[in-house]
Amino acid sequence: DIEMTQSPSSLSASVGDRVTITCRASQTISKYLNWYQQRPGKAPELLIYASSTLQNGVPSRFTGSGSGTDFTLIINNLQPEDFATYSCQQSYRTPWTFGQGTKVEIK
Amino acid sequence: EVQLVESGGGLAKPGGSLRLSCAGSEYPFSHYSMSWVRQAPGKGLEWVASISASTVYIFYADSVKGRFTISRDNAENSLFLQMNDLRAEDTAVYYCARDLAFDFGDPLGYWGQGTLVTVSS
């Protein structure tokens, strides 16, 4: 199975900050990397797919990049609604696997 | 707007069974692959099973293989998860999710609100 490792597990940031979350795959997954946002008590929502493509309606302050084994999610100008948990997922090969999640908290 | 509504969760005893359902609407249900993803309390997301639009492809996580069965009824716009031999570690919120586009393995573009399954004696 392909293991997905995110870092950090959590972080504290302020409104307006730039936040960087990384995701590493245990083997190459090309660009089959997706990011999900999950607000407390809510279902996950697709944020970015194929490493860098924003899902419809996602603000441009979210940026995804990477290929192979190393991927990055950047949130510029952090907004109050961005405080949530972010999870990466590989869709290269079954079993689809998720990272453990990164919780972005208010400083 | 795509809608996915899960039902069927609840309390089950270890070794017991539950059948989850997911009703899809506002899109051509039969055109898209579907998946179940679960989240144990305070934990991350775990993919459980997926089924392609025509049921040609069906895959399971090792943790549920042989105990859970995913199926769908395209005429009824419904997805199912039959869960047998339930264990305490199956306790989780179960989400159904639809692929973003038509290819099997596409990102999970739409999610239901989830249904809680608790396995306890």
Side-chain angles (χ1 to χ4, degrees):
Chain A
D1 297 0
I2 300 174
E3 184 176 353
M4 307 301 294
T5 304
Q6 286 181 238
S7 62
S9 296
S10 64
L11 63 91
S12 295
S14 301
V15 173
D17 282 355
R18 173 179 161 124
V19 164
T20 301
I21 299 170
T22 64
C23 179
R24 174 165 287 176
S26 61
Q27 58 187 271
T28 184
I29 58 171
S30 185
K31 289 196 169 189
Y32 291 87
L33 190 283
N34 312 306
W35 290 98
Y36 299 87
Q37 177 192 64
Q38 187 175 23
R39 297 188 176 101
K42 301 294 187 182
E45 295 181 2
L46 179 64
L47 204 62
I48 290 172
Y49 61 95
S51 178
S52 60
T53 304
L54 264 60
Q55 168 67 326
N56 290 342
V58 173
S60 58
R61 62 179 179 273
F62 290 90
T63 303
S65 64
S67 67
T69 60
D70 293 309
F71 301 86
T72 302
L73 171 67
I74 294 175
I75 312 172
N76 288 302
N77 187 23
L78 197 68
Q79 295 299 297
E81 61 267 29
D82 301 336
F83 291 95
T85 297
Y86 296 85
S87 300
C88 62
Q89 177 235 350
Q90 64 83 16
S91 52
Y92 180 76
R93 179 185 298 139
T94 59
W96 317 134
T97 44
F98 291 86
Q100 80 278 17
T102 296
K103 187 174 184 179
V104 177
E105 299 175 298
I106 301 173
K107 184 183 287 185
Chain B
E1 180 183 345
V2 171
Q3 292 200 18
L4 298 169
V5 179
E6 301 95 337
S7 60
L11 178 64
K13 288 182 167 38
S17 298
L18 278 177
R19 188 185 196 220
L20 305 184
S21 300
C22 171
S25 60
E26 307 305 323
Y27 75 95
F29 184 85
S30 63
H31 291 191
Y32 293 88
S33 299
M34 299 291 294
S35 298
W36 289 98
V37 176
R38 68 185 180 184
Q39 187 169 37
K43 302 296 185 182
L45 299 167
E46 179 188 15
W47 171 75
V48 173
S50 295
I51 184 168
S52 62
S54 60
T55 74
V56 169
Y57 301 112
I58 293 177
F59 293 98
Y60 297 96
D62 284 347
S63 58
V64 306
K65 200 173 294 182
R67 301 187 299 123
F68 290 10
T69 302
I70 189 172
S71 63
R72 63 190 297 161
D73 183 339
N74 286 338
E76 295 295 324
N77 295 341
S78 293
L79 173 73
F80 305 102
L81 186 68
Q82 177 66 43
M83 303 187 296
N84 298 331
D85 189 23
L86 283 163
R87 305 167 180 169
E89 54 265 34
D90 296 319
T91 295
V93 174
Y94 284 73
Y95 297 100
C96 73
R98 195 207 88 175
D99 277 11
L100 182 64
F102 296 133
D103 291 331
F104 184 77
D106 274 346
L108 302 171
Y110 300 90
W111 297 63
Q113 83 288 351
T115 187
L116 177 62
V117 171
T118 303
V119 182
S120 175
S121 55

